[in-house]
Amino acid sequence: MSTIDPDAARRERTPRRTTGARLIVPGLFLLGAGAVLGWGLTRGAATGFSDDVPEQDVEAIIAAIASSFALMIAFGLWVGAAARNPRLPGWLTAIGIAMLGAAVGHAVVAPPPELLRNPVFDALAFGLCVGAVALLGLGTVARAARARRLDAADELVRTTSPVTGSVTNQGYTHFEDASRILTAVTYTFRDAAGQQRWVKRAATIDARDPIVNGEEVDVWFDRQDPSDENRIVIRRRA
């Protein structure tokens, strides 16, 4: 028995912020697995993956299959880490890194019996590099936009006082077997003029601490433009 609500205490604790260091290992695996996949697919396309081919390129088959699994795992680790800190590069950057690796793998593949050769950047390698650079650039732009929104939200919280809002649609009926669900929660609040407004936000709901209809929350908004949803901050109360 405790005299402190454990769910409230958990919400009060500041979660450990994921840093960029958590992306180093997934990033290296994305680059390496992308290179091996590019190598395996290029070599397999040249020598054949089919059972009808007299002499299958076993190395290419193994490389393509193994690197595909490694790539999916690395991508999941990257996205999972980035989701805990919106200031980190997102999935666009992860795909760009994997494409850059694929370009390298394609460029250095050699026909049997050799494994590697000096890099040869043909049209496909060049196209992969261009796509990788484009995705990395888009990822950088998206990251900067998220950072600006977060900075604006932090400033709003520092410089204004919150009003009381409440949950009008919790966005789920039950959890089934999941411990967490991702859903859209609808909140309502009244602005400085007394006008009632509604806003919907994506939220990850923990089965141990569910959001429920009628729950009161703190809401910060732009007094000059309360309709600007990008400048509405909603936080649960402890």
Side-chain angles (χ1 to χ4, degrees), residues 171-189:
Y172 66 95
T173 55
H174 56 279
F175 280 86
E176 296 182 348
D177 296 328
S179 60
R180 289 185 177 184
I181 57 174
L182 177 63
T183 186
V185 181
T186 304
Y187 305 88
T188 187
F189 67 97

Side-chain angles (χ1 to χ4, degrees), residues 12 27 38 48 50 57 74 78 80 87 98 100 102 113 129 143 146 188 203 205 210 234:
E12 279 190 319
S50 173
D57 194 332
W78 179 289
R87 295 184 185 275
L100 189 61
C129 286
R143 179 187 180 189
R146 290 195 303 272
T188 187
I205 311 300
I234 299 172

Side-chain angles (χ1 to χ4, degrees), residues 4 6 16 62 88 90 131 158 162:
I4 300 175
R16 181 178 297 177
I62 294 175
L88 295 178
R158 288 196 309 268

Side-chain angles (χ1 to χ4, degrees), residues 3-198:
T3 58
I4 300 175
D5 183 349
D7 295 328
R10 182 172 57 252
R11 288 202 298 270
E12 279 190 319
R13 288 195 295 266
T14 301
R16 181 178 297 177
R17 180 60 62 90
T18 301
T19 64
R22 292 288 298 274
L23 299 181
I24 294 177
V25 173
L28 292 175
F29 271 94
L30 284 169
L31 187 64
V36 175
L37 183 61
W39 181 92
L41 291 179
T42 302
R43 183 153 162 160
T47 59
F49 284 121
S50 173
D51 292 335
D52 298 330
V53 177
E55 295 184 3
Q56 282 187 315
D57 194 332
V58 178
E59 292 87 352
I61 295 174
I62 294 175
I65 295 174
S67 61
S68 296
F69 283 106
L71 202 60
M72 288 187 291
I73 294 172
F75 182 76
L77 291 174
W78 179 289
V79 172
R84 292 191 288 271
N85 185 352
R87 295 184 185 275
L88 295 178
W91 62 272
L92 286 171
T93 302
I95 296 177
I97 292 173
M99 284 186 65
L100 189 61
V104 174
H106 173 79
V108 301
V109 67
E114 300 295 328
L115 294 178
L116 302 174
R117 65 178 178 183
N118 291 327
V120 176
F121 285 92
D122 57 11
L124 180 55
F126 180 76
L128 287 170
C129 286
V130 171
V133 171
L135 287 172
L136 291 172
L138 289 173
T140 300
V141 172
R143 179 187 180 189
R146 290 195 303 272
R148 286 195 299 270
R149 290 196 298 270
L150 290 170
D151 290 340
D154 290 342
E155 181 183 4
L156 195 65
V157 171
R158 288 196 309 268
T159 58
T160 63
S161 299
V163 299
T164 297
S166 63
V167 177
T168 60
N169 186 346
Q170 61 195 34
Y172 66 95
T173 55
H174 56 279
F175 280 86
E176 296 182 348
D177 296 328
S179 60
R180 289 185 177 184
I181 57 174
L182 177 63
T183 186
V185 181
T186 304
Y187 305 88
T188 187
F189 67 97
R190 291 187 180 275
D191 62 22
Q195 175 69 44
Q196 188 168 14
R197 297 181 180 274
W198 287 264

